[in-house]
């Protein structure tokens, strides 16, 4: 696995010297995750932020009736973690698994804290990432409470254009809060409107 994608991701927000890049990459741990394999189970303490180099992960909960509720997807060039657990070091609320064979870079909470001290600009980088995550979750909550299903679907398409056609539709349905059958009908209706 090479570092080019993760370094480009970081360069969107902060500039690193070659020495700082080397210091950062020395703290990353590569991990291959097979399809349906878990990065994190609900109830475990999240010790890592994961950057997706290849593949796709999802973060979700399962309710008392056994229904999955997907909160986020992480295609290549995205970070994923159970933020509540990572920050509080309390047992997590999310399951995170691979939707396809995936390659990720793991950054431990301990190494992240070390980066803050040794390369202070990383504090800015992770603050920006955390703020974007907070804004995204808030917008998703508002959308779920106030928008009709069709608008939630269109927002999903804008947010995740790279995976809309490559992931099973049952996962899209779970994310926007409808049944797969309803999603199929809605997509057909949208296609008819476009003609």
């Amino acid at each position: 696995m090479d570092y080019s994608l993760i370094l480009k991701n970081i360069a969107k927000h902060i500039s690193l010297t070659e020495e700082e890049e080397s210091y950062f990459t020395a703290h990353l741990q590569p991990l291959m995750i097979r399809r349906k394999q878990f990065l994190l189970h609900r109830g475990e303490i999240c010790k890592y932020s994961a950057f997706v180099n290849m593949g796709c992960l999802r973060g979700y909960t399962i309710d008392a009736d056994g229904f999955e509720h997907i909160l986020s997807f992480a295609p290549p060039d995205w970070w994923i973690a159970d933020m509540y657990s990572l920050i509080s070091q309390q047992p997590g609320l999310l399951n995170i698994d691979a939707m396809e064979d995936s390659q990720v870079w793991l950054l431990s909470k301990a190494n992240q804290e070390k980066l803050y001290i040794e390369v202070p600009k990383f504090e800015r980088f992770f603050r920006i990432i955390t703020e974007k995550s907070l804004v995204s979750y808030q917008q998703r909550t508002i959308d779920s409470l106030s928008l009709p299903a069709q608008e939630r679907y269109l927002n999903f398409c804008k947010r995740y254009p790279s995976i809309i056609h490559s992931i099973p539709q049952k996962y899209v349905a779970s994310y926007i809060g409808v049944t797969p059958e309803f999603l199929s009908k809605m997509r057909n209706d949208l296609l008819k409107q476009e003609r």
Side-chain angles (χ1 to χ4, degrees):
M1 288 170 45
D2 75 70
Y3 299 111
S4 57
L5 189 60
I6 195 168
L7 291 174
K8 279 184 199 165
N9 181 274
I10 289 165
K12 292 176 194 173
H13 304 294
I14 59 173
S15 296
L16 297 177
T17 65
E18 282 187 26
E19 187 180 325
E20 289 167 339
E21 285 181 356
S22 295
Y23 185 78
F24 169 67
T25 57
H27 289 83
L28 297 175
Q29 178 184 331
L31 181 68
M32 293 290 301
I33 308 175
R34 296 271 170 237
R35 182 175 173 265
K36 295 188 176 182
Q37 185 180 349
F38 284 83
L39 177 66
L40 184 73
H41 285 95
R42 179 189 171 109
E44 293 177 346
I45 294 174
C46 184
K47 295 181 169 64
Y48 300 93
S49 296
F51 177 83
V52 181
N53 200 52
M54 185 193 89
C56 189
L57 276 60
R58 66 184 177 134
Y60 64 97
T61 63
I62 300 175
D63 68 21
D65 296 322
F67 292 107
E68 288 182 5
H69 301 278
I70 297 176
L71 299 176
S72 62
F73 293 98
D77 199 29
W78 285 58
W79 291 85
I80 190 167
D82 182 322
M83 292 300 290
Y84 162 77
S85 179
L86 185 69
I87 292 168
S88 69
Q89 288 298 282
Q90 296 297 311
L93 306 172
L94 292 181
N95 294 297
I96 299 175
D97 70 7
M99 299 172 56
E100 56 190 65
D101 290 352
S102 301
Q103 297 174 341
V104 300
W105 289 112
L106 298 178
L107 178 64
S108 70
K109 181 172 173 57
N111 281 338
Q112 191 172 328
E113 298 286 342
K114 196 190 298 185
L115 283 169
Y116 293 164
I117 294 162
E118 300 297 326
V119 187
K121 54 183 107 168
F122 271 104
E123 206 156 5
R124 172 180 159 73
F125 174 76
F126 283 103
R127 176 182 54 78
I128 291 167
I129 295 294
T130 303
E131 286 173 353
K132 287 184 170 212
S133 175
L134 176 63
V135 167
S136 173
Y137 277 115
Q138 180 176 316
Q139 189 60 56
R140 178 159 157 40
T141 301
I142 291 167
D143 288 357
S144 294
L145 295 172
S146 60
L147 293 181
Q150 186 172 334
E151 285 184 55
R152 293 195 308 269
Y153 174 71
L154 294 172
N155 284 348
F156 172 87
C157 294
K158 285 181 203 156
R159 182 163 171 73
Y160 296 109
S162 65
I163 63 170
I164 187 64
H165 297 294
S166 62
I167 64 172
Q169 291 306 294
K170 68 179 182 178
Y171 294 148
V172 178
S174 171
Y175 181 88
I176 65 171
V178 298
T179 64
E181 296 77 19
F182 184 86
L183 175 62
S184 180
K185 181 184 180 312
M186 185 173 61
R187 290 181 73 207
N188 286 336
D189 290 347
L190 284 168
L191 286 172
K192 286 176 191 167
Q193 289 173 20
E194 288 173 8
R195 289 184 189 138

